[in-house]
Amino acid sequence: MSRPSDHSLIYTLLGGIAALIIVHGIGRFAYTPILPLMREDGLTLQQGGWLAATNYVGYLLGALFTVFSHGDRIQRLRGGLLVSIATTLLMGLTHALPAWLLLRFVSGLSNGVVFVYAANLVLERLALAGRSALGGLLYSGVGAGIVLSGLLVLAVDQAGWGWQAAWWGLALICALLLHPAWQLQAAAPQAASAKPAPAVRTPAYLLVVAGYGCAGLGYIVSMTFLPAIIRATPGMQQFAAWSWVILGLAVIPSSLFWSWAAQRWGEVPALLAAYGLQAIGVMAPLWWPDRFGASASALLLGGTFLGIVVMAMLLARKHDPHGGSRTVGVMTSAYGLAQIIGPLITAALAARPNAIGLALQIATVVLLLGAACPIASALLQRRAAADFFVKLEEQQPCRT
């Protein structure tokens, strides 16, 4: 099979970036800067947690669907893109909580499907061209979507148009980005006769998956409620949307930086650094309840969460090099399951004073546990390698 041309790779990357802006940067994360406006219109913290958790349930089921259901990836990806845009638009057309719950669930479902298929299609093409190091560019689409949503919500809030206009404006942006995302049809055609490789279930691999799941829970409370936390801080109301823009700007180059760091330092040391910085970012609004704390939190969260995604995916692919969509799906499912738990913890604590503060502390502990998983995985790998060579030497015939 011939390698893809540079122009083909550019179009594939742009299509993948557009897809992630639609379903992830906006379809998923636009809810975060809009949430404070919806809360001021009567939505409670508990209901906000339910809406977030419902979206993440859909995300988990969408990712699992890609693992256990085999079919035309391109048609499913296109359908997911259309559904994501439709649910973003419809969020601004109703005030009913049951309708919102349904829309956020369906949006999450489409997000899980598109994220897995788009990421795998792009990464396959890059690997075929020997340009895997460019994979970090794909995830800049998440940051671009976050920046777009933050700026639009800021403009809508200053104009006094209400949260509904924010959903409608973001749906329009997604519709304009649909064309390049649609062109992913040319990426990495599947061989129909290819036999799936056997699943990898080694303890070292499962620890990588577990650590990735901890990262999902550890970051999601902040990524759901950060603007709400800042808007509720005295004197910080106007800075809430700007914090989301800062976070998005930090996201855009982060995947490339952490890809470089993983190559320079190794995946495990780089992952440990990212986990540690993210833990500081989660706690920053509690330690420094001012613009410095809000900015530090936005920069550290935005600068690390996608880095963890990129490095953990690279590490998982080393454990399961022939897993393809299955590996991405398993990792995404673990992440998605953990993300459901975070908002539910916040909703369960809603009646307590400083509920979000308690949720942030729990998230930080989980992040630190997640950091221990890649260490344990690396130690298990070294032990397994040592045992292999010992057995190999024992099998050698004795020489006299």
Side-chain angles (χ1 to χ4, degrees), residues 5-6 8-10 12-14 17 119 122-123 125-127 129-141 252 255-257 259-260 263 310 314:
S5 67
D6 288 343
S8 175
L9 289 179
I10 291 171
T12 299
L13 267 173
L14 290 176
I17 289 169
V122 173
L123 294 176
R125 288 296 296 271
L126 292 176
R131 306 290 292 274
S132 295
L134 295 177
L137 284 172
L138 167 68
Y139 300 102
S140 66
I252 293 173
S255 53
L256 285 177
F257 168 77
S259 295
W260 170 85
Q263 290 182 343
V310 171
L314 288 172

PDB file of all heavy atoms in Angstrom, residues 5-6 8-10 12-14 17 119 122-123 125-127 129-141 252 255-257 259-260 263 310 314:
ATOM      1  N   SER A   5      -0.103  11.110   0.516  1.00  0.00           N
ATOM      2  CA  SER A   5       0.656  12.310   0.187  1.00  0.00           C
ATOM      3  C   SER A   5       0.517  13.340   1.304  1.00  0.00           C
ATOM      4  O   SER A   5      -0.367  13.255   2.156  1.00  0.00           O
ATOM      5  CB  SER A   5       0.133  12.906  -1.115  1.00  0.00           C
ATOM      6  OG  SER A   5      -1.192  13.390  -0.932  1.00  0.00           O
ATOM      7  N   ASP A   6       1.407  14.349   1.275  1.00  0.00           N
ATOM      8  CA  ASP A   6       1.349  15.398   2.286  1.00  0.00           C
ATOM      9  C   ASP A   6       0.027  16.150   2.232  1.00  0.00           C
ATOM     10  O   ASP A   6      -0.540  16.503   3.270  1.00  0.00           O
ATOM     11  CB  ASP A   6       2.511  16.371   2.095  1.00  0.00           C
ATOM     12  CG  ASP A   6       3.850  15.758   2.510  1.00  0.00           C
ATOM     13  OD1 ASP A   6       3.825  14.731   3.219  1.00  0.00           O
ATOM     14  OD2 ASP A   6       4.895  16.301   2.116  1.00  0.00           O
ATOM     15  N   SER A   8      -2.850  15.002   1.215  1.00  0.00           N
ATOM     16  CA  SER A   8      -3.875  14.121   1.757  1.00  0.00           C
ATOM     17  C   SER A   8      -3.842  14.113   3.275  1.00  0.00           C
ATOM     18  O   SER A   8      -4.893  14.126   3.933  1.00  0.00           O
ATOM     19  CB  SER A   8      -3.661  12.700   1.220  1.00  0.00           C
ATOM     20  OG  SER A   8      -4.569  11.797   1.803  1.00  0.00           O
ATOM     21  N   LEU A   9      -2.630  14.118   3.851  1.00  0.00           N
ATOM     22  CA  LEU A   9      -2.509  14.152   5.310  1.00  0.00           C
ATOM     23  C   LEU A   9      -3.054  15.452   5.888  1.00  0.00           C
ATOM     24  O   LEU A   9      -3.699  15.455   6.945  1.00  0.00           O
ATOM     25  CB  LEU A   9      -1.044  13.975   5.715  1.00  0.00           C
ATOM     26  CG  LEU A   9      -0.426  12.596   5.528  1.00  0.00           C
ATOM     27  CD1 LEU A   9       1.025  12.614   5.962  1.00  0.00           C
ATOM     28  CD2 LEU A   9      -1.198  11.544   6.308  1.00  0.00           C
ATOM     29  N   ILE A  10      -2.803  16.565   5.194  1.00  0.00           N
ATOM     30  CA  ILE A  10      -3.301  17.859   5.665  1.00  0.00           C
ATOM     31  C   ILE A  10      -4.828  17.862   5.688  1.00  0.00           C
ATOM     32  O   ILE A  10      -5.453  18.292   6.668  1.00  0.00           O
ATOM     33  CB  ILE A  10      -2.769  18.997   4.775  1.00  0.00           C
ATOM     34  CG1 ILE A  10      -1.261  19.170   4.990  1.00  0.00           C
ATOM     35  CG2 ILE A  10      -3.506  20.308   5.082  1.00  0.00           C
ATOM     36  CD1 ILE A  10      -0.605  20.119   4.003  1.00  0.00           C
ATOM     37  N   THR A  12      -6.774  15.296   5.857  1.00  0.00           N
ATOM     38  CA  THR A  12      -7.228  14.366   6.889  1.00  0.00           C
ATOM     39  C   THR A  12      -7.147  15.004   8.270  1.00  0.00           C
ATOM     40  O   THR A  12      -8.071  14.903   9.072  1.00  0.00           O
ATOM     41  CB  THR A  12      -6.387  13.076   6.854  1.00  0.00           C
ATOM     42  OG1 THR A  12      -6.549  12.441   5.588  1.00  0.00           O
ATOM     43  CG2 THR A  12      -6.799  12.119   7.950  1.00  0.00           C
ATOM     44  N   LEU A  13      -6.025  15.676   8.541  1.00  0.00           N
ATOM     45  CA  LEU A  13      -5.871  16.354   9.828  1.00  0.00           C
ATOM     46  C   LEU A  13      -6.922  17.448  10.019  1.00  0.00           C
ATOM     47  O   LEU A  13      -7.537  17.563  11.085  1.00  0.00           O
ATOM     48  CB  LEU A  13      -4.473  16.956   9.928  1.00  0.00           C
ATOM     49  CG  LEU A  13      -3.393  16.106  10.584  1.00  0.00           C
ATOM     50  CD1 LEU A  13      -2.031  16.775  10.446  1.00  0.00           C
ATOM     51  CD2 LEU A  13      -3.712  15.854  12.048  1.00  0.00           C
ATOM     52  N   LEU A  14      -7.134  18.255   8.973  1.00  0.00           N
ATOM     53  CA  LEU A  14      -8.138  19.322   9.068  1.00  0.00           C
ATOM     54  C   LEU A  14      -9.534  18.749   9.289  1.00  0.00           C
ATOM     55  O   LEU A  14     -10.330  19.297  10.059  1.00  0.00           O
ATOM     56  CB  LEU A  14      -8.112  20.185   7.807  1.00  0.00           C
ATOM     57  CG  LEU A  14      -6.874  21.077   7.630  1.00  0.00           C
ATOM     58  CD1 LEU A  14      -6.926  21.802   6.295  1.00  0.00           C
ATOM     59  CD2 LEU A  14      -6.761  22.071   8.781  1.00  0.00           C
ATOM     60  N   ILE A  17      -9.662  17.594  12.907  1.00  0.00           N
ATOM     61  CA  ILE A  17      -9.750  18.754  13.802  1.00  0.00           C
ATOM     62  C   ILE A  17     -11.163  19.330  13.787  1.00  0.00           C
ATOM     63  O   ILE A  17     -11.749  19.642  14.832  1.00  0.00           O
ATOM     64  CB  ILE A  17      -8.717  19.817  13.393  1.00  0.00           C
ATOM     65  CG1 ILE A  17      -7.299  19.327  13.725  1.00  0.00           C
ATOM     66  CG2 ILE A  17      -8.998  21.151  14.084  1.00  0.00           C
ATOM     67  CD1 ILE A  17      -6.196  20.176  13.126  1.00  0.00           C
ATOM     68  N   ALA A 119     -10.581   9.943  15.560  1.00  0.00           N
ATOM     69  CA  ALA A 119      -9.214   9.798  16.064  1.00  0.00           C
ATOM     70  C   ALA A 119      -8.525   8.604  15.417  1.00  0.00           C
ATOM     71  O   ALA A 119      -7.364   8.704  14.991  1.00  0.00           O
ATOM     72  CB  ALA A 119      -9.238   9.639  17.586  1.00  0.00           C
ATOM     73  N   VAL A 122      -7.669   9.270  11.622  1.00  0.00           N
ATOM     74  CA  VAL A 122      -6.537  10.176  11.443  1.00  0.00           C
ATOM     75  C   VAL A 122      -5.236   9.514  11.872  1.00  0.00           C
ATOM     76  O   VAL A 122      -4.219   9.587  11.161  1.00  0.00           O
ATOM     77  CB  VAL A 122      -6.765  11.483  12.236  1.00  0.00           C
ATOM     78  CG1 VAL A 122      -5.522  12.361  12.196  1.00  0.00           C
ATOM     79  CG2 VAL A 122      -7.961  12.252  11.669  1.00  0.00           C
ATOM     80  N   LEU A 123      -5.244   8.853  13.026  1.00  0.00           N
ATOM     81  CA  LEU A 123      -4.020   8.225  13.521  1.00  0.00           C
ATOM     82  C   LEU A 123      -3.561   7.095  12.599  1.00  0.00           C
ATOM     83  O   LEU A 123      -2.357   6.872  12.427  1.00  0.00           O
ATOM     84  CB  LEU A 123      -4.235   7.698  14.942  1.00  0.00           C
ATOM     85  CG  LEU A 123      -4.467   8.775  16.007  1.00  0.00           C
ATOM     86  CD1 LEU A 123      -4.768   8.137  17.355  1.00  0.00           C
ATOM     87  CD2 LEU A 123      -3.285   9.722  16.110  1.00  0.00           C
ATOM     88  N   ARG A 125      -3.938   7.041   9.302  1.00  0.00           N
ATOM     89  CA  ARG A 125      -3.319   7.674   8.143  1.00  0.00           C
ATOM     90  C   ARG A 125      -1.921   8.190   8.480  1.00  0.00           C
ATOM     91  O   ARG A 125      -0.983   8.069   7.695  1.00  0.00           O
ATOM     92  CB  ARG A 125      -4.185   8.823   7.633  1.00  0.00           C
ATOM     93  CG  ARG A 125      -5.460   8.377   6.927  1.00  0.00           C
ATOM     94  CD  ARG A 125      -5.144   7.605   5.649  1.00  0.00           C
ATOM     95  NE  ARG A 125      -4.473   8.424   4.659  1.00  0.00           N
ATOM     96  CZ  ARG A 125      -5.094   9.154   3.741  1.00  0.00           C
ATOM     97  NH1 ARG A 125      -6.405   9.173   3.684  1.00  0.00           N
ATOM     98  NH2 ARG A 125      -4.410   9.857   2.863  1.00  0.00           N
ATOM     99  N   LEU A 126      -1.779   8.787   9.656  1.00  0.00           N
ATOM    100  CA  LEU A 126      -0.475   9.304  10.054  1.00  0.00           C
ATOM    101  C   LEU A 126       0.532   8.173  10.255  1.00  0.00           C
ATOM    102  O   LEU A 126       1.701   8.297   9.870  1.00  0.00           O
ATOM    103  CB  LEU A 126      -0.614  10.126  11.341  1.00  0.00           C
ATOM    104  CG  LEU A 126      -1.391  11.443  11.222  1.00  0.00           C
ATOM    105  CD1 LEU A 126      -1.522  12.099  12.583  1.00  0.00           C
ATOM    106  CD2 LEU A 126      -0.726  12.395  10.240  1.00  0.00           C
ATOM    107  N   ALA A 127       0.081   7.081  10.848  1.00  0.00           N
ATOM    108  CA  ALA A 127       0.974   5.940  11.062  1.00  0.00           C
ATOM    109  C   ALA A 127       1.416   5.350   9.725  1.00  0.00           C
ATOM    110  O   ALA A 127       2.579   4.984   9.541  1.00  0.00           O
ATOM    111  CB  ALA A 127       0.273   4.883  11.913  1.00  0.00           C
ATOM    112  N   ALA A 129       1.797   6.914   6.997  1.00  0.00           N
ATOM    113  CA  ALA A 129       2.748   7.835   6.369  1.00  0.00           C
ATOM    114  C   ALA A 129       4.029   7.997   7.181  1.00  0.00           C
ATOM    115  O   ALA A 129       4.915   8.752   6.789  1.00  0.00           O
ATOM    116  CB  ALA A 129       2.090   9.202   6.188  1.00  0.00           C
ATOM    117  N   GLY A 130       4.116   7.303   8.324  1.00  0.00           N
ATOM    118  CA  GLY A 130       5.280   7.449   9.181  1.00  0.00           C
ATOM    119  C   GLY A 130       5.345   8.802   9.859  1.00  0.00           C
ATOM    120  O   GLY A 130       6.417   9.297  10.195  1.00  0.00           O
ATOM    121  N   ARG A 131       4.164   9.425  10.098  1.00  0.00           N
ATOM    122  CA  ARG A 131       4.108  10.770  10.696  1.00  0.00           C
ATOM    123  C   ARG A 131       3.283  10.762  11.976  1.00  0.00           C
ATOM    124  O   ARG A 131       2.544  11.698  12.271  1.00  0.00           O
ATOM    125  CB  ARG A 131       3.505  11.769   9.694  1.00  0.00           C
ATOM    126  CG  ARG A 131       4.189  11.803   8.336  1.00  0.00           C
ATOM    127  CD  ARG A 131       5.569  12.409   8.409  1.00  0.00           C
ATOM    128  NE  ARG A 131       5.504  13.825   8.725  1.00  0.00           N
ATOM    129  CZ  ARG A 131       5.336  14.772   7.805  1.00  0.00           C
ATOM    130  NH1 ARG A 131       5.204  14.455   6.513  1.00  0.00           N
ATOM    131  NH2 ARG A 131       5.314  16.042   8.157  1.00  0.00           N
ATOM    132  N   SER A 132       3.411   9.713  12.761  1.00  0.00           N
ATOM    133  CA  SER A 132       2.595   9.579  13.982  1.00  0.00           C
ATOM    134  C   SER A 132       2.799  10.733  14.951  1.00  0.00           C
ATOM    135  O   SER A 132       1.898  11.056  15.748  1.00  0.00           O
ATOM    136  CB  SER A 132       2.903   8.256  14.684  1.00  0.00           C
ATOM    137  OG  SER A 132       2.504   7.165  13.888  1.00  0.00           O
ATOM    138  N   ALA A 133       3.985  11.350  14.918  1.00  0.00           N
ATOM    139  CA  ALA A 133       4.278  12.450  15.839  1.00  0.00           C
ATOM    140  C   ALA A 133       3.327  13.631  15.638  1.00  0.00           C
ATOM    141  O   ALA A 133       3.153  14.460  16.534  1.00  0.00           O
ATOM    142  CB  ALA A 133       5.717  12.916  15.671  1.00  0.00           C
ATOM    143  N   LEU A 134       2.688  13.713  14.460  1.00  0.00           N
ATOM    144  CA  LEU A 134       1.744  14.804  14.191  1.00  0.00           C
ATOM    145  C   LEU A 134       0.373  14.553  14.805  1.00  0.00           C
ATOM    146  O   LEU A 134      -0.515  15.394  14.693  1.00  0.00           O
ATOM    147  CB  LEU A 134       1.597  15.009  12.681  1.00  0.00           C
ATOM    148  CG  LEU A 134       2.840  15.481  11.922  1.00  0.00           C
ATOM    149  CD1 LEU A 134       2.544  15.564  10.429  1.00  0.00           C
ATOM    150  CD2 LEU A 134       3.312  16.836  12.457  1.00  0.00           C
ATOM    151  N   GLY A 135       0.201  13.388  15.445  1.00  0.00           N
ATOM    152  CA  GLY A 135      -1.100  13.053  16.006  1.00  0.00           C
ATOM    153  C   GLY A 135      -1.596  14.076  17.013  1.00  0.00           C
ATOM    154  O   GLY A 135      -2.799  14.278  17.164  1.00  0.00           O
ATOM    155  N   GLY A 136      -0.659  14.749  17.701  1.00  0.00           N
ATOM    156  CA  GLY A 136      -1.071  15.754  18.664  1.00  0.00           C
ATOM    157  C   GLY A 136      -1.841  16.906  18.040  1.00  0.00           C
ATOM    158  O   GLY A 136      -2.662  17.541  18.713  1.00  0.00           O
ATOM    159  N   LEU A 137      -1.589  17.195  16.755  1.00  0.00           N
ATOM    160  CA  LEU A 137      -2.320  18.269  16.083  1.00  0.00           C
ATOM    161  C   LEU A 137      -3.818  18.002  16.047  1.00  0.00           C
ATOM    162  O   LEU A 137      -4.620  18.933  16.098  1.00  0.00           O
ATOM    163  CB  LEU A 137      -1.793  18.443  14.657  1.00  0.00           C
ATOM    164  CG  LEU A 137      -0.449  19.148  14.491  1.00  0.00           C
ATOM    165  CD1 LEU A 137       0.003  19.064  13.033  1.00  0.00           C
ATOM    166  CD2 LEU A 137      -0.550  20.604  14.924  1.00  0.00           C
ATOM    167  N   LEU A 138      -4.182  16.734  15.945  1.00  0.00           N
ATOM    168  CA  LEU A 138      -5.603  16.382  15.874  1.00  0.00           C
ATOM    169  C   LEU A 138      -6.367  16.946  17.062  1.00  0.00           C
ATOM    170  O   LEU A 138      -7.454  17.519  16.918  1.00  0.00           O
ATOM    171  CB  LEU A 138      -5.748  14.861  15.817  1.00  0.00           C
ATOM    172  CG  LEU A 138      -7.156  14.291  16.038  1.00  0.00           C
ATOM    173  CD1 LEU A 138      -8.058  14.671  14.874  1.00  0.00           C
ATOM    174  CD2 LEU A 138      -7.104  12.785  16.194  1.00  0.00           C
ATOM    175  N   TYR A 139      -5.787  16.796  18.252  1.00  0.00           N
ATOM    176  CA  TYR A 139      -6.508  17.160  19.468  1.00  0.00           C
ATOM    177  C   TYR A 139      -6.557  18.658  19.702  1.00  0.00           C
ATOM    178  O   TYR A 139      -7.237  19.111  20.630  1.00  0.00           O
ATOM    179  CB  TYR A 139      -5.880  16.441  20.661  1.00  0.00           C
ATOM    180  CG  TYR A 139      -5.942  14.934  20.518  1.00  0.00           C
ATOM    181  CD1 TYR A 139      -4.820  14.214  20.127  1.00  0.00           C
ATOM    182  CD2 TYR A 139      -7.123  14.247  20.741  1.00  0.00           C
ATOM    183  CE1 TYR A 139      -4.878  12.839  19.975  1.00  0.00           C
ATOM    184  CE2 TYR A 139      -7.191  12.875  20.590  1.00  0.00           C
ATOM    185  CZ  TYR A 139      -6.064  12.174  20.205  1.00  0.00           C
ATOM    186  OH  TYR A 139      -6.129  10.811  20.044  1.00  0.00           O
ATOM    187  N   SER A 140      -5.861  19.441  18.873  1.00  0.00           N
ATOM    188  CA  SER A 140      -5.990  20.888  18.981  1.00  0.00           C
ATOM    189  C   SER A 140      -7.413  21.330  18.653  1.00  0.00           C
ATOM    190  O   SER A 140      -7.825  22.429  19.040  1.00  0.00           O
ATOM    191  CB  SER A 140      -4.996  21.595  18.068  1.00  0.00           C
ATOM    192  OG  SER A 140      -5.290  21.337  16.698  1.00  0.00           O
ATOM    193  N   GLY A 141      -8.157  20.473  17.942  1.00  0.00           N
ATOM    194  CA  GLY A 141      -9.548  20.789  17.648  1.00  0.00           C
ATOM    195  C   GLY A 141     -10.381  20.960  18.903  1.00  0.00           C
ATOM    196  O   GLY A 141     -11.315  21.770  18.941  1.00  0.00           O
ATOM    197  N   ILE A 252      -4.734  24.147  22.938  1.00  0.00           N
ATOM    198  CA  ILE A 252      -4.340  24.034  21.526  1.00  0.00           C
ATOM    199  C   ILE A 252      -2.908  23.532  21.329  1.00  0.00           C
ATOM    200  O   ILE A 252      -2.693  22.568  20.581  1.00  0.00           O
ATOM    201  CB  ILE A 252      -4.569  25.377  20.800  1.00  0.00           C
ATOM    202  CG1 ILE A 252      -6.082  25.667  20.720  1.00  0.00           C
ATOM    203  CG2 ILE A 252      -3.972  25.352  19.395  1.00  0.00           C
ATOM    204  CD1 ILE A 252      -6.426  27.052  20.183  1.00  0.00           C
ATOM    205  N   SER A 255      -1.145  19.315  23.265  1.00  0.00           N
ATOM    206  CA  SER A 255      -0.928  17.946  22.799  1.00  0.00           C
ATOM    207  C   SER A 255       0.410  17.812  22.079  1.00  0.00           C
ATOM    208  O   SER A 255       1.098  16.789  22.206  1.00  0.00           O
ATOM    209  CB  SER A 255      -2.080  17.505  21.893  1.00  0.00           C
ATOM    210  OG  SER A 255      -2.285  18.430  20.846  1.00  0.00           O
ATOM    211  N   LEU A 256       0.790  18.850  21.333  1.00  0.00           N
ATOM    212  CA  LEU A 256       2.101  18.818  20.672  1.00  0.00           C
ATOM    213  C   LEU A 256       3.236  18.865  21.694  1.00  0.00           C
ATOM    214  O   LEU A 256       4.232  18.150  21.571  1.00  0.00           O
ATOM    215  CB  LEU A 256       2.230  19.984  19.699  1.00  0.00           C
ATOM    216  CG  LEU A 256       1.453  19.865  18.390  1.00  0.00           C
ATOM    217  CD1 LEU A 256       1.620  21.137  17.568  1.00  0.00           C
ATOM    218  CD2 LEU A 256       1.911  18.659  17.590  1.00  0.00           C
ATOM    219  N   PHE A 257       3.083  19.713  22.706  1.00  0.00           N
ATOM    220  CA  PHE A 257       4.117  19.795  23.738  1.00  0.00           C
ATOM    221  C   PHE A 257       4.283  18.468  24.447  1.00  0.00           C
ATOM    222  O   PHE A 257       5.414  17.984  24.642  1.00  0.00           O
ATOM    223  CB  PHE A 257       3.782  20.882  24.762  1.00  0.00           C
ATOM    224  CG  PHE A 257       4.658  20.813  25.986  1.00  0.00           C
ATOM    225  CD1 PHE A 257       5.959  21.293  25.942  1.00  0.00           C
ATOM    226  CD2 PHE A 257       4.195  20.235  27.159  1.00  0.00           C
ATOM    227  CE1 PHE A 257       6.782  21.208  27.063  1.00  0.00           C
ATOM    228  CE2 PHE A 257       5.015  20.136  28.279  1.00  0.00           C
ATOM    229  CZ  PHE A 257       6.312  20.627  28.231  1.00  0.00           C
ATOM    230  N   SER A 259       3.418  15.512  23.401  1.00  0.00           N
ATOM    231  CA  SER A 259       3.968  14.510  22.480  1.00  0.00           C
ATOM    232  C   SER A 259       5.489  14.617  22.440  1.00  0.00           C
ATOM    233  O   SER A 259       6.206  13.605  22.457  1.00  0.00           O
ATOM    234  CB  SER A 259       3.393  14.711  21.073  1.00  0.00           C
ATOM    235  OG  SER A 259       2.011  14.465  21.049  1.00  0.00           O
ATOM    236  N   TRP A 260       5.981  15.876  22.400  1.00  0.00           N
ATOM    237  CA  TRP A 260       7.430  16.096  22.428  1.00  0.00           C
ATOM    238  C   TRP A 260       8.004  15.626  23.766  1.00  0.00           C
ATOM    239  O   TRP A 260       9.057  14.974  23.811  1.00  0.00           O
ATOM    240  CB  TRP A 260       7.725  17.575  22.228  1.00  0.00           C
ATOM    241  CG  TRP A 260       9.157  17.936  22.485  1.00  0.00           C
ATOM    242  CD1 TRP A 260      10.205  17.857  21.614  1.00  0.00           C
ATOM    243  CD2 TRP A 260       9.708  18.426  23.721  1.00  0.00           C
ATOM    244  NE1 TRP A 260      11.369  18.267  22.224  1.00  0.00           N
ATOM    245  CE2 TRP A 260      11.095  18.616  23.518  1.00  0.00           C
ATOM    246  CE3 TRP A 260       9.163  18.722  24.977  1.00  0.00           C
ATOM    247  CZ2 TRP A 260      11.944  19.094  24.516  1.00  0.00           C
ATOM    248  CZ3 TRP A 260      10.004  19.193  25.965  1.00  0.00           C
ATOM    249  CH2 TRP A 260      11.375  19.373  25.738  1.00  0.00           C
ATOM    250  N   GLN A 263       8.367  11.896  23.957  1.00  0.00           N
ATOM    251  CA  GLN A 263       9.515  11.418  23.184  1.00  0.00           C
ATOM    252  C   GLN A 263      10.831  11.740  23.883  1.00  0.00           C
ATOM    253  O   GLN A 263      11.785  10.958  23.836  1.00  0.00           O
ATOM    254  CB  GLN A 263       9.509  12.032  21.779  1.00  0.00           C
ATOM    255  CG  GLN A 263       8.390  11.514  20.903  1.00  0.00           C
ATOM    256  CD  GLN A 263       8.436  12.102  19.498  1.00  0.00           C
ATOM    257  OE1 GLN A 263       9.084  13.107  19.257  1.00  0.00           O
ATOM    258  NE2 GLN A 263       7.735  11.471  18.578  1.00  0.00           N
ATOM    259  N   VAL A 310      -3.252  12.124  24.956  1.00  0.00           N
ATOM    260  CA  VAL A 310      -2.313  11.749  23.899  1.00  0.00           C
ATOM    261  C   VAL A 310      -1.307  10.719  24.404  1.00  0.00           C
ATOM    262  O   VAL A 310      -1.072   9.678  23.766  1.00  0.00           O
ATOM    263  CB  VAL A 310      -1.584  12.997  23.362  1.00  0.00           C
ATOM    264  CG1 VAL A 310      -0.456  12.597  22.418  1.00  0.00           C
ATOM    265  CG2 VAL A 310      -2.569  13.915  22.643  1.00  0.00           C
ATOM    266  N   LEU A 314      -0.886   6.741  23.388  1.00  0.00           N
ATOM    267  CA  LEU A 314       0.363   6.204  22.855  1.00  0.00           C
ATOM    268  C   LEU A 314       0.839   5.003  23.670  1.00  0.00           C
ATOM    269  O   LEU A 314       1.282   3.994  23.116  1.00  0.00           O
ATOM    270  CB  LEU A 314       1.440   7.298  22.854  1.00  0.00           C
ATOM    271  CG  LEU A 314       1.288   8.419  21.830  1.00  0.00           C
ATOM    272  CD1 LEU A 314       2.324   9.514  22.094  1.00  0.00           C
ATOM    273  CD2 LEU A 314       1.438   7.886  20.413  1.00  0.00           C
TER     274      LEU A 314
END
